[in-house]
Amino acid sequence: LTVRAESLFAESWALFDKRKYEPAVAPAHEGIALYEKAYGADDPRLVPRLTYLGGLLLSLADFPKAEAEFTRALALSEK
């Protein structure tokens, strides 16, 4: 699962680097879902992935969703 998740994040990052923010969201979400399935929704390994997704959503000016991802990442990092 995690190999597939990392592949999805690589795809998302490549799109992000090309400033194709909207298409980069789906693989990031899917990668997070795979990490959650493999490790659980409260695993600290999700923090950098959630932070990345928050930044991606910030690039799209989707402030409420970005804030939710950043808040979740912060909560996990404080555990």
Side-chain angles (χ1 to χ4, degrees), residues 42-56:
D42 292 335
D43 192 276
R45 285 174 274 207
L46 287 167
V47 171
R49 287 136 187 103
L50 294 168
T51 302
Y52 165 75
L53 179 56
L56 178 57

Side-chain angles (χ1 to χ4, degrees), residues 30-79:
E30 190 176 342
I32 288 170
L34 289 175
Y35 263 90
E36 290 173 336
K37 186 174 182 179
Y39 302 115
D42 292 335
D43 192 276
R45 285 174 274 207
L46 287 167
V47 171
R49 287 136 187 103
L50 294 168
T51 302
Y52 165 75
L53 179 56
L56 178 57
L57 293 166
L58 196 60
S59 297
L60 290 167
D62 192 341
F63 304 119
K65 288 183 184 175
E67 181 180 25
E69 299 301 336
F70 289 136
T71 300
R72 183 172 171 211
L74 180 60
L76 287 177
S77 71
E78 292 176 337
K79 285 189 173 192

